[in-house]
């Protein structure tokens, strides 16, 4: 299994002979406005460029869209991803949105979705604390993660846009992943709790999955992400977590 951090939550996962593009945000630096009602909303997104050429990014067997927020499925992705590309979505609503954008080969993930000999399992997430989700239910919407399973590969859990809560804890207990990928940039809405994991949440996952390698993703790429890689690395050093928690730079790869 090979992991490559591209930018934000955009990843390439090579797994059991197949290559997956996760949550493609493919626009050029500054392609769309900062998110209203969030810190640094005056800064346009994405805040950094993609680290590799587009032809390499799109050389995949399938795309997984955990949810259709702009920083996971942007206008550039809609225009650049081939319309016959196999795309996995979290539910029928997202599938309908993407189908309406001209895509023709869409599958909705479930409890056991089989692609070739790879099993994909949709997992629940919560896009913020209870008060935040209640206040911004329409804006934050439903989110998901995905577990990859194959007899000859490590089990991988991409948690998606979620904070630490009982659903993530249950996913860790149920699937016992070897590799856990966390959206860890501490993205925030003004006046409310984070809407993805912060460093304390990473610590909770670390404790709950004592045998897993953890990868911190979704960092330093959008205006409202408040946790830097340096701050997270300093925290990991302080807690003695560095042997099991990786904080890759954009473009960096990890092989398991």
């Amino acid at each position: 299994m090979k992991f490559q951090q591209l930018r934000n939550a955009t990843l390439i996962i090579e797994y059991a002979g197949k290559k997956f593009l996760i949550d493609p945000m493919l626009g050029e630096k500054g392609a769309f406005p900062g998110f209203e009602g969030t810190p640094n909303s005056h800064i346009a997104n994405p805040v950094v460029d993609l680290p590799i050429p587009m032809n390499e990014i799109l050389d995949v067997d399938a795309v997984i869209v955990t949810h259709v927020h702009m920083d996971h499925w942007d206008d550039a992705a809609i225009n650049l991803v081939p319309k016959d590309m196999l795309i996995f979505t979290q539910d029928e609503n997202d599938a309908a949105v993407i189908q309406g954008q001209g895509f023709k080969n869409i599958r909705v993930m479930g409890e056991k979705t089989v692609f070739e000999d790879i099993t994909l399992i949709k997992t629940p997430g919560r896009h913020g604390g209870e008060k935040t989700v209640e206040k911004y239910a329409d804006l934050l919407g439903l989110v998901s993660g995905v577990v990859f399973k194959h007899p000859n590969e490590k089990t991988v859990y991409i948690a998606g846009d979620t904070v630490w809560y009982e659903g993530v804890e249950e996913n860790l207990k149920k699937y016992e992943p070897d590799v856990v990928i966390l959206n860890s940039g501490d993205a925030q809405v003004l006046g409310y709790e984070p809407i993805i994991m912060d460093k304390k949440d990473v610590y909770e996952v670390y404790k709950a999955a004592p045998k897993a390698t953890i990868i911190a993703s979704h960092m330093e790429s959008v205006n409202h992400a408040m946790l830097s890689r340096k701050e997270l690395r300093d925290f990991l050093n302080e807690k003695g977590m560095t042997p099991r928690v990786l904080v890759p730079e954009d473009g960096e790869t990890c092989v398991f």
Side-chain angles (χ1 to χ4, degrees), residues 35-40 132 140 185-196 198 222-227:
F35 296 112
E36 292 185 12
T38 69
N40 302 316
T132 308
L140 295 173
D186 189 12
Q188 296 183 15
V189 175
L190 290 173
Y192 286 84
E193 314 100 319
I195 58 175
I196 63 173
D198 59 12
V222 286
N223 71 274
H224 59 321
M226 305 306 292
L227 179 62

Side-chain angles (χ1 to χ4, degrees), residues 73 77-85 87 95 97-106:
W73 179 249
I78 295 166
N79 291 325
L80 292 169
V81 173
K83 291 297 189 275
D84 59 352
M85 175 70 73
I87 299 178
V97 169
I98 293 174
Q99 184 178 35
Q101 294 161 343
F103 293 88
K104 304 171 183 177
N105 190 10
I106 303 169

Side-chain angles (χ1 to χ4, degrees), residues 67 148 163 183 208:
H67 62 299
F148 291 71
V163 296
N183 291 352

Side-chain angles (χ1 to χ4, degrees), residues 6-249:
L6 294 186
R7 177 182 64 186
N8 205 53
T10 307
L11 319 171
I12 292 177
I13 303 289
E14 295 183 35
Y15 193 85
K18 297 295 181 183
K19 191 180 290 188
F20 297 84
L21 176 61
I22 314 296
D23 285 343
M25 178 177 67
L26 303 182
E28 296 180 355
K29 180 180 177 181
F32 57 91
F35 296 112
E36 292 185 12
T38 69
N40 302 316
S41 60
H42 62 286
I43 299 175
N45 291 314
V47 302
V48 293
D49 289 315
L50 285 163
I52 64 174
M54 193 62 65
N55 64 314
E56 295 181 27
I57 294 172
L58 297 176
D59 182 21
V60 296
D61 298 290
V63 174
I64 297 176
V65 180
T66 62
H67 62 299
V68 292
H69 285 172
M70 183 71 80
D71 60 330
H72 294 251
W73 179 249
D74 64 354
D75 290 344
I78 295 166
N79 291 325
L80 292 169
V81 173
K83 291 297 189 275
D84 59 352
M85 175 70 73
L86 174 58
I87 299 178
F88 291 95
T89 67
Q90 67 168 334
D91 58 23
E92 295 287 353
N93 288 336
D94 283 8
V97 169
I98 293 174
Q99 184 178 35
Q101 294 161 343
F103 293 88
K104 304 171 183 177
N105 190 10
I106 303 169
R107 292 183 62 185
V108 176
M109 289 187 295
E111 294 183 0
K112 189 178 181 181
T113 299
V114 178
F115 173 51
E116 302 290 338
D117 53 354
I118 300 166
T119 300
L120 302 174
I121 304 166
K122 185 184 80 170
T123 58
R126 194 179 72 192
H127 208 344
E130 290 184 8
K131 292 181 180 179
T132 308
V133 171
E134 181 179 353
K135 172 72 173 179
Y136 294 102
D138 293 338
L139 177 64
L140 295 173
L142 297 176
V143 293
S144 68
V146 58
V147 170
F148 291 71
K149 294 183 72 70
H150 186 275
N152 300 324
E153 291 278 15
K154 294 183 181 296
T155 298
V156 178
Y157 169 37
I158 300 176
D161 269 11
T162 185
V163 296
W164 170 257
Y165 80 116
E166 61 272 11
V168 172
E169 185 174 16
E170 290 166 5
N171 293 335
L172 294 171
K173 289 179 180 177
K174 183 174 182 179
Y175 301 111
E176 298 182 332
D178 302 291
V179 179
V180 180
I181 301 168
L182 302 178
N183 291 352
S184 310
D186 189 12
Q188 296 183 15
V189 175
L190 290 173
Y192 286 84
E193 314 100 319
I195 58 175
I196 63 173
M197 292 198 181
D198 59 12
K199 59 189 179 184
K200 297 188 297 297
D201 287 352
V202 174
Y203 186 43
E204 293 300 327
V205 174
Y206 175 86
K207 292 186 293 183
K211 297 180 180 180
T213 298
I214 297 166
I215 302 175
S217 182
H218 202 314
M219 303 194 74
E220 299 182 340
S221 297
V222 286
N223 71 274
H224 59 321
M226 305 306 292
L227 179 62
S228 70
R229 288 183 171 100
K230 181 183 184 306
E231 182 180 350
L232 178 57
R233 287 172 180 143
D234 289 345
F235 177 79
L236 299 177
N237 285 327
E238 177 188 327
K239 294 289 188 180
M241 297 164 62
T242 51
R244 280 203 297 118
V245 185
L246 309 177
V247 188
E249 297 291 334

